[in-house]
Amino acid sequence: MRWWGWGRDEDAIELPPAAAELLRGELGVDGGERGDRVGLDEVAVPESRLGDSGRRALAAAVGADAVLGDRETRIGHAAGRGYADLVRLRRGDASGAPDAVVLPGDVAQVAAVLAACAEHGIAVIPFGGGTSVVGGVEPLRGGHDAAISLSLRRLTRIDADPVSRTIAAEPGVFGPALERTLAGWGLTLGHFPQSFEYSTVGGWVATRSAGQASTGYGRIDELVEAVRCVTPAGELATLDAPATAAGPSLCELVVGSEGTLGVIAGATLRVRPAPAERHYEAWSLPDFDAGLATLRELEQSGAAPDVARLSDEDETRLTMALGSSGGVAERVGRAYLRARGHEHGCIAFTGFEGETDAVGARRGRCAQILRAHGAVALGTRPGRSWLRGRFSAPYLRDELLDRGVMVETLETATTWSNLSALYDAVGAALRTALAERGTPPAVMCHVSHLYPSGASLYFTFLARQEAGVELDQWRAAKRAAGEAIVAAGGTITHHHAIGRDHREWMADEVGGLGIDVLRAVKERVDPTGIMNPKKLLPG
């Protein structure tokens, strides 16, 4: 990816003409290019603190050519892709860059690297695609003299068991490569997080990732059947079996461990036949409350689509404004929605994947429930448009950052009975915290993952950046939202993980004794504390 942002230059997105006026009206931003991004040659990178003995030990483990210390490689592994990461990188601050980037070629070399780092007191940060938005791959040293990023991009083997419908995948396999390989066997994992293009199997498992189609296909933790984790104390591997009653699940302990226990060296994943048909369409709901009631009935009655996404009124309004063309068809469409009482409604997307007959039957049942709640069909064109652009939001964030806009996301989940209260609390906290700083925000939200007992909430908020104190502004918003989530009974993270940014709220999630249990496990498998310091656990 670009060292200062997301993806590649050739895939960049330009804001539509309506955006400049929207930014002025909503946020007080003039919309002009700021041009305050430094060049690569201006980025400050500290001298490597990796000593000669440590470097020799790493070279002995993987070969000298696989221990990289050049400036550009270190910058590329200095941070993830969260808002705070990008603010620092764009202003030329790569002070947290790893002292080296090490590329093991197999699992044996991973073990050898961990042994060398334990002996020489070198922190190890496992690195897949580097897409963490919660500081999960920042090379924090945790009291150690040096830190390396352990790039897993050479571990890319995939073995399939079509009879059992499972695959064994190494951690460095990127999403597109995985799906291309599975397509050759007529299979799919169906896991499509927004980071799909640049994230890896190892990263998904380490962070308990949820894909955009997780309502139908399941989260990654539901798709993991067995896992292999190399720790400084040895290898922890679980049995490849569809189910077991053999005590607490050690597989579950590794899934979501975020590199703090060891390196996820492989996972057995449950796959299914590639769908014969994909059908995506859009609907308009009268308001967000009506939309929530609709989604709950869809899920609890067994009629939910594989992809179910509902935007609130503000997200719908801003999305339509940014995509506005002003053409005749659009004017007719708006007039139609006004006539149906949906002028200020909410847009929902539904996606069905599978065998043709099954897709048709499921769509029919879903449509009945939607219409019973006052939904208006918008057809397949907007649904197909969403499907084409579903990985594009991070590119839009880069463009907004160039124009002096703070743009950040956070996500949570709770029960259906508590969902509206949580939605109100987080939105109010963000608006208050940023308005008090003189930068009133636009706060948007959508639901994108359904469960019988509840659903997720995914917030996006935009505000004019406070020049010179952008990170103070971000911390104020982040803290206000985090405290509101905890107070309202939501999870501090639904699919972005804990990382650096959320760890102060981890005790609210699992309790004090739960933290003690996790610390005890870490002390056993990582006695010198080299694995991804200052992530996941508070303190």
Side-chain angles (χ1 to χ4, degrees):
M1 291 196 290
R2 301 184 287 196
W3 64 268
W4 52 267
W6 190 266
R8 303 172 300 178
D9 287 341
E10 54 266 37
D11 295 323
I13 292 176
E14 292 186 7
L15 290 178
E21 185 59 37
L22 185 68
L23 293 176
R24 278 192 293 270
E26 295 279 341
L27 307 177
V29 175
D30 63 18
E33 295 286 346
R34 286 177 56 178
D36 58 353
R37 216 190 312 126
V38 305
L40 181 61
D41 58 346
E42 300 175 84
V43 178
V45 184
E47 291 292 324
S48 174
R49 295 190 286 181
L50 186 62
D52 290 340
S53 60
R55 189 178 298 275
R56 285 194 297 269
L58 292 171
V62 298
D65 292 343
V67 181
L68 308 181
D70 63 281
R71 189 170 177 279
E72 188 167 351
T73 299
R74 292 177 64 204
I75 292 172
H77 292 75
R81 287 300 177 266
Y83 176 79
D85 302 323
L86 297 184
V87 167
R88 287 196 295 264
L89 289 173
R90 283 164 166 261
R91 70 187 184 196
D93 179 5
S95 56
D99 298 291
V101 177
V102 179
L103 290 82
D106 56 34
V107 176
Q109 288 189 356
V110 171
V113 169
L114 298 193
C117 290
E119 180 182 353
H120 293 274
I122 302 168
V124 179
I125 294 81
F127 194 100
T131 62
S132 172
V133 294
V134 293
V137 295
E138 183 178 356
L140 301 176
R141 288 159 176 79
H144 299 285
D145 291 334
I148 63 164
S149 283
L150 188 70
S151 173
L152 301 167
R153 69 185 190 212
R154 294 172 63 193
L155 278 67
T156 58
R157 182 171 176 173
I158 305 171
D159 295 313
D161 180 353
V163 174
S164 305
R165 289 186 182 172
T166 64
I167 60 164
E170 289 190 322
V173 179
F174 282 85
L178 177 69
E179 285 296 329
R180 283 195 300 269
T181 302
L182 290 179
W185 291 308
L187 300 169
T188 182
L189 181 64
H191 189 72
F192 298 101
Q194 191 173 79
S195 62
F196 172 76
E197 298 167 299
Y198 294 100
S199 55
T200 62
V201 169
W204 299 343
V205 175
T207 59
R208 300 182 74 88
S209 170
Q212 292 172 340
S214 69
T215 297
Y217 285 90
R219 298 164 51 94
I220 197 68
D221 45 294
E222 299 174 82
L223 302 176
V224 175
E225 186 161 295
V227 70
R228 185 180 185 186
C229 181
V230 180
T231 81
E235 185 171 312
L236 179 62
T238 64
L239 182 68
D240 179 5
T244 176
S249 172
L250 294 183
C251 183
E252 281 288 288
L253 182 66
V254 172
V255 177
S257 57
E258 301 188 37
T260 61
L261 303 181
V263 178
I264 293 173
T268 301
L269 304 171
R270 302 179 181 102
V271 294
R272 65 181 68 186
E277 182 174 347
R278 289 183 171 93
H279 187 96
Y280 284 74
E281 56 193 325
W283 299 79
S284 176
L285 276 299
D287 53 51
F288 196 53
D289 286 338
L292 294 180
T294 306
L295 294 183
R296 180 174 67 84
E297 183 174 345
L298 286 170
E299 176 64 22
Q300 292 181 343
S301 67
D306 299 305
V307 173
R309 184 184 178 104
L310 169 71
S311 294
D312 70 359
E313 291 88 348
D314 283 330
E315 185 168 281
T316 299
R317 176 178 58 83
L318 291 172
T319 299
M320 291 180 70
L322 285 174
S324 175
S325 64
V328 173
E330 181 180 310
R331 291 197 297 273
V332 170
R334 289 180 183 272
Y336 172 68
L337 289 176
R338 280 197 300 272
R340 298 294 298 271
H342 285 236
E343 184 175 7
H344 303 293
C346 296
I347 194 168
F349 296 99
T350 59
F352 295 90
E353 302 191 358
E355 294 300 317
T356 302
D357 290 345
V359 165
R362 294 172 64 208
R363 281 182 55 221
R365 189 177 176 198
C366 178
Q368 284 182 335
I369 294 174
L370 281 159
R371 290 193 174 98
H373 285 268
V376 174
L378 302 178
T380 58
R381 184 175 178 181
R384 292 195 304 266
S385 177
W386 176 83
L387 186 62
R388 286 193 302 271
R390 61 176 170 167
F391 305 132
S392 63
Y395 293 100
L396 182 59
R397 178 186 60 173
D398 285 346
E399 183 73 6
L400 289 168
L401 282 169
D402 280 342
R403 295 169 185 256
V405 177
M406 171 191 186
V407 52
E408 177 64 304
T409 63
L410 57 90
E411 28 69 62
T412 180
T414 190
T415 58
W416 288 112
S417 59
N418 190 46
L419 203 62
S420 292
L422 179 61
Y423 167 78
D424 291 341
V426 177
L430 287 169
R431 292 183 182 95
T432 299
L434 289 167
E436 287 177 348
R437 300 184 68 90
T439 56
V443 180
M444 302 168 280
C445 183
H446 66 255
V447 175
S448 54
H449 307 272
L450 310 183
Y451 308 92
S453 60
S456 68
L457 293 172
Y458 190 102
F459 290 87
T460 301
F461 55 99
L462 290 74
R464 176 177 53 82
Q465 281 186 325
E466 286 189 69
V469 288
E470 295 91 346
L471 293 182
D472 290 341
Q473 179 191 28
W474 170 77
R475 291 187 191 98
K478 188 75 174 177
R479 175 166 293 281
E483 291 176 351
I485 287 171
V486 169
T491 176
I492 196 62
T493 177
H494 173 261
H495 57 269
H496 284 167
I498 293 293
R500 168 202 65 205
D501 296 348
H502 295 148
R503 68 193 188 107
E504 67 178 282
W505 292 291
M506 185 62 172
D508 296 294
E509 193 85 11
V510 301
L513 181 58
I515 295 295
D516 291 343
V517 170
L518 292 175
R519 288 194 191 283
V521 174
K522 181 171 175 62
E523 289 169 5
R524 174 62 184 87
V525 300
D526 180 24
T528 58
I530 61 171
M531 297 306 306
N532 212 7
K534 295 188 176 296
K535 313 293 170 51
L536 186 64
L537 298 173

